[in-house]
Amino acid sequence: FGGGTPSLVPPAMVARIMEALDQTFAISPTAEVSMEMDPGTFDEDQLRDTLRLGVNRVSLGVQSFDQEMLERCGRSHGLDQVRAALELMHKHSNNWSLDLISSLPYQTLDGWEHSLRSAVEANPHHVSIYDLQVEPGTKFGRLYRPGDAPLPSDDISAEMYSMGSAILTAAGYDHYEVSNYAKPGKQCAHNLVYWRNQEYYAFGMAAASHVDKVRYTRPTSLVKYTQWVEQFVASGGVQTEQPPSEKEDELLDTLMLGLRLAEGLCVDQLRSRFGDETVERILHSLKSQGPTKVLFFDSAGELASEDEGNSSIKRIRLTDPEGFMLSNDIISTIFAVLDPDMD
């Protein structure tokens, strides 16, 4: 359960959704069932009732441990609500995550370090750190321009990213994905499905599914989504035909998502799916980035020697933090060298 604020949904409605999903898909007893919850939007009774329904992972949207930052960002909760929510997590949940946002307006390195160390002190099982994205057409997009004050400069944002990696890994969290850290055995299962480019169903307004190599996106406004649901019901559940992903799109998705993971990509699997010629182009592009950004491993899991040639390379991954931090630029460079007319 994610997007918007699912913790505003009454447990009785969550129960109806869970029942419908179980009847249709037969939810596994070992399935991860996660819900995003914001401080101040739930109390102890609601949390306890939600967990009893089968929700076994909570993602807590703290965002900052700085009261002023929360107010500047227009968050509906303050530090008092954060502290109360953390107390409930410790009391009732054995698998919960804490979300923080970096590069906020007026945010300083000292303030960011305070939030990071407060997160470590809170001792969640998982931490997600998202760099603020200023999108055109949004409130932030109208108020601020990326890299310009009062937003932190690009250099300060890079320092914030490196600081997050250093503090959380030193505290025992595995930096397993560009924006995510976990204690052993607490990686986010449903997000790993996305990053490994596997298939999944998604339901609700603006939901995006990936089924049979086809990506579906639902309408993003309530009016249009309601119309879509009415048409879908009236048609007897007939889905609008959409073409499967092209092989090129499949490759680009695999690279873009897989290189976000610390486990990286298996080169033999890439060769099997996309061919030797394509993989050679990818490896050539990645080698041009240098060892501070990209690492290559042999079949024994040791760093591969460039003298041995590409045939010895069995796995590729980006470095932490520099490669992760520059992942978008690195992936864009790969895209630029790939032939758009692949067979």
Side-chain angles (χ1 to χ4, degrees):
F1 296 86
T5 310
S7 48
L8 293 175
V9 178
M13 186 174 292
V14 174
R16 292 177 60 191
I17 295 171
M18 292 285 290
E19 182 179 355
L21 291 172
D22 191 38
Q23 289 177 350
T24 305
F25 300 104
I27 298 174
S28 168
T30 60
E32 176 191 276
V33 183
S34 185
M35 176 177 283
E36 295 180 5
M37 306 185 81
D38 287 348
T41 64
F42 63 94
D43 58 19
E44 184 167 16
D45 287 341
Q46 182 179 345
L47 175 62
R48 189 164 45 219
D49 290 346
T50 300
L51 295 177
R52 285 171 179 165
L53 294 173
V55 173
N56 53 28
R57 182 181 185 274
V58 173
S59 181
L60 189 66
V62 171
Q63 316 311 358
S64 177
F65 282 90
D66 183 316
Q67 179 66 35
E68 186 176 353
M69 284 292 102
L70 293 172
E71 292 173 1
R72 288 185 184 277
C73 292
R75 305 304 299 184
S76 60
H77 65 266
L79 284 182
D80 288 343
Q81 286 85 2
V82 168
R83 295 187 187 100
L86 291 175
E87 184 177 343
L88 292 178
M89 290 301 108
H90 288 131
K91 185 175 180 180
H92 293 287
S93 178
N94 61 4
N95 187 15
W96 62 280
S97 179
L98 187 152
D99 291 358
L100 293 177
I101 300 179
S102 63
S103 300
L104 292 168
Y106 301 97
Q107 195 171 43
T108 64
L109 286 171
D110 286 344
W112 177 235
E113 182 177 359
H114 168 71
S115 278
L116 288 168
R117 297 200 181 281
S118 296
V120 170
E121 185 178 353
N123 198 31
H125 304 92
H126 184 284
V127 178
S128 295
I129 295 179
Y130 301 110
D131 189 63
L132 177 68
Q133 299 298 306
V134 180
E135 302 288 350
T138 64
K139 179 181 179 181
F140 273 91
R142 291 189 293 271
L143 293 174
Y144 309 115
R145 293 179 57 186
D148 291 349
L151 293 177
S153 67
D154 291 342
D155 287 344
I156 294 297
S157 292
E159 286 190 58
M160 288 180 175
Y161 186 88
S162 296
M163 183 187 293
S165 178
I167 289 176
L168 289 172
T169 54
Y173 291 89
D174 174 30
H175 193 180
Y176 73 98
E177 192 270 343
V178 168
S179 302
N180 288 275
Y181 303 77
K183 290 187 174 180
K186 296 297 184 178
Q187 294 182 351
C188 180
H190 71 272
N191 279 337
L192 284 173
V193 170
Y194 311 146
W195 296 319
R196 289 170 177 163
N197 202 23
Q198 296 171 344
E199 298 193 339
Y200 51 88
Y201 290 103
F203 305 96
M205 190 172 71
S209 302
H210 184 204
V211 181
D212 295 332
K213 296 187 177 181
V214 178
R215 295 188 182 275
Y216 301 91
T217 302
R218 301 294 173 241
T220 57
S221 75
L222 183 58
V223 171
K224 291 183 178 180
Y225 179 68
T226 302
Q227 292 172 346
W228 180 88
V229 171
E230 291 172 349
Q231 293 170 358
F232 183 74
V233 173
S235 70
V238 176
Q239 181 71 266
T240 302
E241 288 292 331
Q242 296 191 44
S245 300
E246 298 289 340
K247 192 172 184 180
E248 178 189 2
D249 293 333
E250 185 182 350
L251 170 61
L252 299 185
D253 285 344
T254 298
L255 295 173
M256 179 178 64
L257 297 168
L259 285 176
R260 292 183 62 90
L261 290 168
E263 68 186 38
L265 290 165
C266 173
V267 175
D268 286 345
Q269 290 180 1
L270 290 177
R271 291 186 186 279
S272 175
R273 293 172 64 185
F274 305 109
D276 290 339
E277 183 179 347
T278 296
V279 171
E280 291 302 312
R281 288 197 187 98
I282 294 169
L283 293 176
H284 177 76
S285 176
L286 288 172
K287 282 187 173 182
S288 71
Q289 300 289 333
T292 62
K293 300 177 186 175
V294 184
L295 299 176
F296 304 89
F297 298 91
D298 60 22
S299 58
E302 303 291 334
L303 284 174
S305 169
E306 290 193 22
D307 297 335
E308 298 177 32
N310 289 346
S311 61
S312 67
I313 298 175
K314 299 300 180 183
R315 185 165 291 277
I316 50 180
R317 64 151 292 178
L318 303 185
T319 60
D320 178 13
E322 186 172 355
F324 274 171
M325 189 162 46
L326 298 174
S327 59
N328 288 340
D329 293 338
I330 295 170
I331 292 167
S332 294
T333 301
I334 300 173
F335 287 4
V337 303
L338 291 175
D339 183 357
D341 297 320
M342 287 183 300
D343 294 330

